[in-house]
Amino acid sequence: QYKQPAFDKLAFDGARDKLVYSLGYPKAVLNFEYNHEFWVRGLIIDTQRGNFLKIDRHKYVRIAYHGFTEMSSEIRKTLYSRTFNKIPSFSEKHFVNLDTLFQHVDAHLFASLVELKDAHDTQHEEDFDGEIGFLDGKTYEELYRDVRACVDLCHRDGVIKDVVAENPEKYIVHDKGLVPMLRNFRDSGVKVFLLTNSYWEYTSVAMNFLFHGEKVNEQLMLKNEWMELFDIVIVGSCKPAF
């Protein structure tokens, strides 16, 4: 488990910078700041419209936001009310369930881009240093895809994990009950495995921290004593695609 919002901010800042320096987004994007308190799990992102929805168990949309702006009841009902013979399923590919804490980064960056794109539509070009045309040519779905690609790349290219490896105490929650629990599993004859998308170098740093409760020196890290807790360890697994 990672410490929030410190870990999320690494992903947010890294993805924000990639949007500008790798994909050519307006430099105004660099002013975006992450706020984890705006989000909760259980929301649905309508990537086609740039909206964020809170539905009840009957699939009725109780609250809807466009970017960071709450939608009026009239607009919300026009877009998402069920008809007499059709109940929205919210299962189409442009609907994304906000199920994990990691997705709060995606949501905040996407909402920020929605707000910026809408501002481009209503303000003068000179307010954006001539960069208005770029966002005009992007749909909301394309904005979300770019966000998702940049956040995913941050998890793979070292932008996040290199920083965490330097200071695991700042970003990783140390659970004192983890090692005793895994030992109890092994002593009871339960087969235990570790499956992670992370590569060996990062896995070794993180697991040594969880095992010893602190960042260890290179000599102790090379022993990888934490491996005694598992029957098999698989790194670089590429789940769920594997």
Side-chain angles (χ1 to χ4, degrees):
Q1 181 180 350
Y2 292 103
K3 294 180 180 179
Q4 311 291 341
F7 182 82
D8 285 351
K9 193 173 186 308
L10 292 177
F12 183 88
D13 291 351
R16 177 196 63 195
D17 292 352
K18 289 184 190 307
L19 286 170
V20 175
Y21 297 119
S22 298
L23 299 185
Y25 273 68
K27 289 183 173 59
V29 171
L30 296 175
N31 296 322
F32 292 170
E33 293 291 338
Y34 180 60
N35 179 10
H36 72 289
E37 294 181 347
F38 197 86
W39 308 101
V40 295
R41 285 177 289 184
L43 303 178
I44 294 177
I45 305 175
D46 182 350
T47 64
Q48 192 175 73
R49 298 184 177 98
N51 296 340
F52 299 82
L53 317 175
K54 179 64 176 178
I55 67 173
D56 63 19
R57 61 194 178 115
H58 302 294
K59 296 185 177 180
Y60 178 78
V61 178
R62 293 288 181 183
I63 303 173
Y65 276 70
H66 179 72
F68 295 115
T69 306
E70 186 171 4
M71 297 167 59
S72 68
S73 175
E74 181 181 3
I75 295 176
R76 169 172 54 84
K77 291 177 180 178
T78 299
L79 292 176
Y80 299 111
S81 283
R82 53 182 148 185
T83 60
F84 73 95
N85 63 349
K86 183 179 179 181
I87 299 176
S89 66
F90 299 104
S91 60
E92 294 89 344
K93 65 179 181 179
H94 64 273
F95 290 112
V96 176
N97 293 314
L98 200 63
D99 293 330
T100 70
L101 293 175
F102 292 114
Q103 289 173 292
H104 290 184
V105 171
D106 299 32
H108 198 81
L109 192 49
F110 180 49
S112 300
L113 287 175
V114 168
E115 293 283 333
L116 186 61
K117 175 178 169 58
D118 291 349
H120 273 210
D121 292 340
T122 58
Q123 297 183 30
H124 297 296
E125 182 171 354
E126 55 267 22
D127 293 337
F128 296 95
D129 298 325
E131 296 177 314
I132 188 170
F134 184 89
L135 290 182
D136 280 348
K138 290 277 189 179
T139 65
Y140 293 123
E141 282 188 287
E142 288 171 333
L143 295 180
Y144 182 79
R145 284 199 295 268
D146 287 345
V147 166
R148 188 82 283 288
C150 288
V151 172
D152 187 56
L153 183 57
C154 286
H155 284 278
R156 292 187 282 111
D157 68 359
V159 166
I160 297 173
K161 292 178 179 177
D162 286 354
V163 177
V164 176
E166 283 295 317
N167 189 6
E169 295 94 342
K170 182 177 180 180
Y171 298 103
I172 301 176
V173 176
H174 179 245
D175 184 349
K176 295 181 179 179
L178 178 64
V179 172
M181 179 191 71
L182 292 173
R183 281 189 171 135
N184 285 337
F185 284 157
R186 293 297 304 274
D187 294 343
S188 301
V190 176
K191 298 296 183 182
V192 182
F193 68 92
L194 173 65
L195 177 69
T196 175
N197 286 348
S198 299
Y199 293 116
W200 170 254
E201 292 77 11
Y202 178 78
T203 302
S204 178
V205 171
M207 292 306 301
N208 270 298
F209 170 74
L210 292 172
F211 187 85
H212 295 285
E214 61 182 0
K215 184 179 180 180
V216 300
N217 59 46
E218 186 175 353
Q219 184 178 3
L220 185 56
M221 188 166 68
L222 289 174
K223 294 181 179 180
N224 287 305
E225 296 171 290
W226 58 271
M227 292 188 70
E228 70 185 40
L229 302 173
F230 302 96
D231 293 281
I232 186 171
V233 174
I234 302 173
V235 299
S237 63
C238 298
K239 56 183 172 66
F242 73 101

